[in-house]
Amino acid sequence: MYASKVAQFALAGLAAAQSQLDAIPAGFNASRWAWVSNENPLLAAIPGEFNRSGFQAPSAATVSDSRVAAINEHINQTNFVAYDSRFFEIIGPDATVEQLQVLPFQIHEAPCYIPETSQLYFVEWGGPGGGENGGHDYQYVLDLKTNTLTKVRTNPPTWNVHGCVYSKGKLHVVTDGGPHETGYLATIDPSTWERKTILNNNNEQPFISFNDLDMDPEGNYYLTDSLSGWGRNLHPYGAPTPPTVYFVNGTTLRIKALMYLPDGNTNGIAVSPDGRSLYVADTGASQVKPSRRNEQGPRDLWAFDFATSRATGQKLPLLTNRRLLTRAIEYFYDGVRASRSGWIFGAGGEVVDVVDPESGWIMGSIRVGGGGNEPVNLVFGENELWIVGKGGCVARQKHS
Ligand SMILES: *[C@@H]1O[C@H](CO)[C@@H](O)[C@H](O)[C@H]1NC(C)=O
Ligand SMILES: *[C@@H]1O[C@H](CO)[C@@H](O)[C@H](O)[C@H]1NC(C)=O
Ligand SMILES: *[C@@H]1O[C@H](CO)[C@@H](O)[C@H](O)[C@H]1NC(C)=O
Ligand SMILES: *[C@@H]1O[C@H](CO)[C@@H](O)[C@H](O)[C@H]1NC(C)=O
């Protein structure tokens, strides 16, 4: 009785909301999609009262107008929210979102897709059982053919992995550091789970705590050294520098700082597929020691280009042309990845957003359910996107 009433109410709400949003193109499923634009006068100038914090999804705003409330309710049930007509082409009409695993309400991070074995490597981050001071010396491996989840320990064990990139048969990982060590860059062989530390110091100085990394087509590393792991007391070595992005030459392992954020925090990072641009998330709105969300803090995605040598035209480990690409509509981008065709995917809040690398316009959002299912990081598969996050989601967004 109660259930059927709820269903009728939801259906009525859905029909009303759809008639007030832009019509989605033919072939796209109206239950999974919404097209949100300010060409809709109801959204451009919201009647009555409205409010939300930058850490909430737009559909979670408090609104007094029942038509806007119905739109929000509809959006909250969709998987894809388009802000730009190009988003329909990027995602395609056949895409679906599937939740594969339900895990404890913890941050899951560092996803790596291993094509040879069809496995997804990822970690639980930030202390056992939701604690503040713990650490992890194990990682997860999800068999994507059978959806079987197992724990692995590398040899020697790797503490507090926070970022991962798969390249040429190896997992390239960065760590926050642990009880007896500072953060480092390492490779893990996924066929033996042997781990080899590649770089653990900056000219004999410890790092703060690595958050993420990316690699360019030449095999050079871009590492974000962040306040986050230090903020959770994952190691006892302090924070010797401001949050910094480092360049590490993949051949010589020579290291240099590329940029730093004295008033923010480094987090996700991605290199464009041509290796010429760098995208860095500033997530300083999430403060540490004490842990606090600051509405005045940065939730921004920055873009840079690499300088080139005047003499040889070669790429230099120097950034130019700093520009604010976009501010996240909700929350901040934690994990950031660039797709084969150059679109930037940023995970944070209830969404994975797709951002145009040139204009910075947000094309649209991929949603994995809301209600505490929150994407934190992502990795591309063949034709899938694998998302890990809070609320234990390991979601797959599939398109043909
Ligand atoms: C549209 O999406 C809904 C929700 O995921 C699903 O139940 C329904 O079967 C889909 N319709 C079609 C025609 O695929
Ligand atoms: C609006 O939201 C902000 C952030 O959540 C809150 O601090 C403020 O009190 C709210 N104001 C009103 C009028 O609702
Ligand atoms: C990395 O080092 C190698 C060997 O010295 C050099 O050839 C290459 O140009 C360097 N790459 C960058 C981007 O500096
Ligand atoms: C959105 O949907 C989720 C899942 O059904 C629910 O838990 C959450 O409360 C909803 N959010 C809002 C703002 O209605």
Side-chain angles (χ1 to χ4, degrees):
M1 180 69 178
Y2 176 72
S4 86
K5 260 189 197 160
V6 171
Q8 275 166 23
F9 175 77
L11 283 174
L14 186 62
Q18 273 164 5
S19 66
Q20 282 152 20
L21 280 173
D22 289 4
I24 60 169
F28 287 81
N29 186 329
S31 308
R32 292 187 192 143
W33 282 81
W35 188 352
V36 172
S37 93
N38 277 354
E39 289 181 54
N40 180 346
L42 209 48
L43 294 179
I46 300 172
E49 289 188 42
F50 60 90
N51 194 16
R52 80 173 169 98
S53 108
F55 295 99
Q56 289 177 296
S59 61
T62 317
V63 292
S64 65
D65 187 274
S66 62
R67 294 162 301 174
V68 180
I71 286 174
N72 287 346
E73 205 171 300
H74 170 55
I75 291 172
N76 192 40
Q77 286 159 28
T78 61
N79 289 131
F80 306 104
V81 180
Y83 296 113
D84 192 297
S85 60
R86 285 176 287 170
F87 193 55
F88 293 102
E89 278 165 55
I90 296 169
I91 300 295
D94 300 327
T96 57
V97 173
E98 225 178 295
Q99 177 158 3
L100 299 181
Q101 294 281 327
V102 179
L103 297 170
F105 191 83
Q106 279 276 43
I107 292 169
H108 295 89
E109 259 284 11
C112 255
Y113 172 68
I114 309 169
E116 286 82 4
T117 52
S118 196
Q119 288 173 316
L120 187 76
Y121 168 98
F122 65 98
V123 308
E124 181 180 284
W125 183 80
E132 287 282 309
N133 300 319
H136 291 78
D137 70 345
Y138 66 88
Q139 293 90 44
Y140 283 119
V141 174
L142 182 66
D143 182 322
L144 297 170
K145 292 203 189 100
T146 61
N147 194 19
T148 313
L149 189 67
T150 47
K151 283 182 186 173
V152 289
R153 271 191 186 79
T154 63
N155 178 26
T158 312
W159 281 88
N160 300 326
V161 169
H162 203 147
C164 184
V165 167
Y166 175 89
S167 172
K168 300 194 173 120
K170 292 217 166 69
L171 306 173
H172 301 251
V173 302
V174 287
T175 72
D176 288 291
H180 307 291
E181 63 192 20
T182 60
Y184 55 78
L185 169 67
T187 55
I188 294 171
D189 181 338
S191 61
T192 61
W193 300 110
E194 300 271 318
R195 188 255 296 166
K196 190 177 157 209
T197 302
I198 294 181
L199 182 74
N200 68 0
N201 71 91
N202 174 13
N203 297 285
E204 307 195 16
Q205 185 177 43
F207 296 104
I208 319 171
S209 42
F210 284 124
N211 190 294
D212 214 335
L213 79 162
D214 203 1
M215 294 174 73
D216 67 18
E218 281 79 51
N220 302 306
Y221 297 99
Y222 303 85
L223 313 177
T224 55
D225 196 19
S226 128
L227 297 172
S228 309
W230 168 75
R232 295 261 186 130
N233 299 315
L234 295 183
H235 68 70
Y237 292 90
T241 64
T244 300
V245 174
Y246 290 99
F247 170 83
V248 176
N249 185 307
T251 310
T252 60
L253 301 179
R254 203 169 172 190
I255 180 168
K256 93 185 265 292
L258 281 181
M259 61 87 82
Y260 67 102
L261 295 167
D263 303 315
N265 197 13
T266 54
N267 205 313
I269 187 160
V271 188
S272 62
D274 64 7
R276 288 165 58 184
S277 301
L278 189 72
Y279 312 115
V280 181
D282 182 350
T283 61
S286 173
Q287 295 180 335
V288 300
K289 298 197 178 192
S291 170
R292 180 174 94 94
R293 290 196 175 157
N294 178 6
E295 300 221 303
Q296 295 299 308
R299 303 185 288 108
D300 299 327
L301 185 64
W302 293 90
F304 305 82
D305 296 327
F306 288 97
T308 50
S309 161
R310 277 195 218 173
T312 64
Q314 275 184 324
K315 173 173 160 179
L316 298 172
L318 281 178
L319 299 176
T320 61
N321 209 3
R322 175 179 176 149
R323 54 211 186 268
L324 176 65
L325 213 48
T326 193
R327 172 165 299 152
I329 292 174
E330 65 184 80
Y331 209 74
F332 47 75
Y333 298 133
D334 193 321
V336 179
R337 288 288 168 240
S339 75
R340 284 183 290 241
S341 33
W343 299 106
I344 305 165
F345 285 63
E350 294 187 351
V351 293
V352 173
D353 278 353
V354 181
V355 180
D356 179 349
E358 276 204 312
S359 65
W361 283 122
I362 298 172
M363 298 289 105
S365 299
I366 300 163
R367 302 183 69 263
V368 297
N373 252 3
E374 295 175 11
V376 173
N377 213 333
L378 66 124
V379 64
F380 299 106
E382 315 293 330
N383 294 302
E384 306 91 14
L385 180 65
W386 306 96
I387 302 167
V388 298
K390 292 179 213 163
C393 70
V394 175
R396 147 164 79 175
Q397 182 248 330
K398 203 156 105 184
H399 58 99
S400 42

